[in-house]
Amino acid sequence: MGSLFRPKMPALPPVQPAPEPPSDELSAEEKERIAKEQAAVERRRRGRKSTILTSPLGVQEDEDSKLETLLGK
């Protein structure tokens, strides 16, 4: 009796063929644009890395090089 009230499944749509992959060759201006983007990323990475004062081993500055503050000492 349950099959009487169940709706019938519609037919599946036909499978579309896969699109062709893009060509591997890049134009000179495309290569230049990619090189500029990569250079900018490296520049930002180096800038951010230079601001980090700790390493996996902990703080790397000497005890003498710490500045005294008015609140601490």
Side-chain angles (χ1 to χ4, degrees):
M1 183 103 164
S3 64
L4 287 175
F5 299 111
R6 231 183 267 166
K8 297 197 183 227
M9 293 294 295
L12 294 176
V15 178
Q16 297 178 355
E20 292 186 27
S23 64
D24 291 336
E25 296 181 22
L26 298 173
S27 65
E29 53 197 31
E30 187 72 19
K31 288 180 183 179
E32 182 179 330
R33 183 185 62 81
I34 292 172
K36 284 182 181 179
E37 287 177 5
Q38 288 178 345
V41 167
E42 286 298 319
R43 206 171 28 256
R44 285 191 298 262
R45 184 177 295 148
R46 271 187 265 125
R48 194 175 307 133
K49 188 176 181 181
S50 67
T51 63
I52 299 173
L53 299 176
T54 60
S55 72
L57 301 175
V59 178
Q60 296 295 315
E61 64 183 31
D62 297 330
E63 188 69 30
D64 296 334
S65 65
K66 291 184 182 177
L67 297 175
E68 293 183 7
T69 62
L70 296 175
L71 297 175
K73 185 177 176 186

